[in-house]
Each structure stands twice: as C-alpha cells, then as structure tokens.
Amino acid sequence: MPRSSSAELITLRVSIVKELRNKWKKERERNPYVNEHFGGFVNELLHDILEKDEFLRHYAPFLSEEGCTRDTLYIKDFKENKIAEIHFSENKLHCSLCDSFACFHIQFAMATPRVAKLNLDQKTIDNEIEEDGQQVKKITNNKRRRNTISRI
Ligand SMILES: [Zn+2]
C-alpha cells in the first residue's frame, strides 16, 4: 500500500501485530465493511480509542481515571471530591463510593481501557475448582472405603 507523505513509520511489538492481525481477520469475516488494509484497520482502531476518550471527557467531565492496581481502579469524582474505588466483587464491578454495582462510576470504568487490567480473581476460581476436586476425591474415597468394608 503506498504511504502518503503525512504517514509516519512507527515500531509495533511483534506480539501486538499478531494480535491485531488476528482481530482484523476475525472482524473482516464478520463484517465486510471492515477496512481491507491491515494498516488502515489499525489506524481506525486507534482513532476510535481517541474518539472514545474525547466522548468520555464530554460525557463525564467531572470524572477522571487516577490509577489502577491489580484489583482496583481509582476514579476521581470532582463533584463529590472523592475517589471511587472500583473492584471485582461477586464477579461484578463494584463501586466502593456508592456501594453499588450500577452507578455512574461503574459506567465510566467500563468505558476505560484500564478496566481490562483488573484481574478477575483467578485464585478464587482456581480455589473453587480445587475445592470441587477435593470434594469429588473425598466422595470417591468414601465409596472405595465402603466398598472395601462391604467386601470384608
Ligand atoms: Zn459509584
């Protein structure tokens, strides 16, 4: 594809290009109007992100993302002059400020890219699987024991 004089070369990580190419292919399969050029697709994707940021600034000018840890997203509310802490609880996003699963801070958090940095508690899921596994093991062992006893 010919580059226009206003184009600029940038370096992308190989792994990112691979992910982007997969996304582009999948989206082209679903929607024929997706840009037929990979470069054009990436440009549109980045432009969409910038537009979303602009939209958020208009939609919620009094909210701002202040930071993020592994399990909490911090959103400054300038109206309340307080920080809303958003984290996963019962597999849903929860706002500590409103004690709500459906407040404006949650809507805002959902629109930020960093929401994806919040880890769904893998440990809890793993522990549940582990506990289920242990339960099955116990039941199986009990049956075995009973069988052994009944055979005696
Ligand atoms: Zn809230």
Side-chain angles (χ1 to χ4, degrees), residues 52-53 55-56 59-60 62-68 71-77 84-88 92-96 100-118:
K52 194 174 78 173
D53 285 350
F55 170 79
L56 278 181
Y59 179 67
F62 53 91
L63 295 182
S64 126
E65 196 191 312
E66 293 294 296
C68 177
D71 56 6
T72 309
L73 188 65
Y74 298 92
I75 292 167
K76 172 88 182 180
D77 186 323
E85 292 180 15
I86 311 293
H87 59 91
F88 267 110
K92 285 184 280 183
L93 288 177
H94 180 263
C95 171
S96 61
S100 167
F101 291 100
C103 64
F104 200 62
H105 305 111
I106 301 281
Q107 283 186 18
F108 182 83
M110 288 292 276
T112 65
R114 278 211 212 164
V115 73
K117 302 274 182 219
L118 294 181

Side-chain angles (χ1 to χ4, degrees), residues 122-138:
Q122 283 299 327
K123 260 189 220 157
T124 311
I125 295 165
D126 289 348
N127 285 344
E128 279 169 13
I129 292 168
E130 176 64 22
E131 276 171 30
D132 286 349
Q134 290 298 333
Q135 287 284 334
V136 172
K137 201 172 166 185
K138 263 185 212 163

Side-chain angles (χ1 to χ4, degrees), residues 6-21:
S6 61
E8 188 178 338
L9 271 179
I10 57 162
T11 307
L12 295 174
R13 267 182 257 143
V14 175
S15 59
I16 294 284
V17 173
K18 202 173 160 189
E19 277 183 60
L20 284 167
R21 211 173 273 282

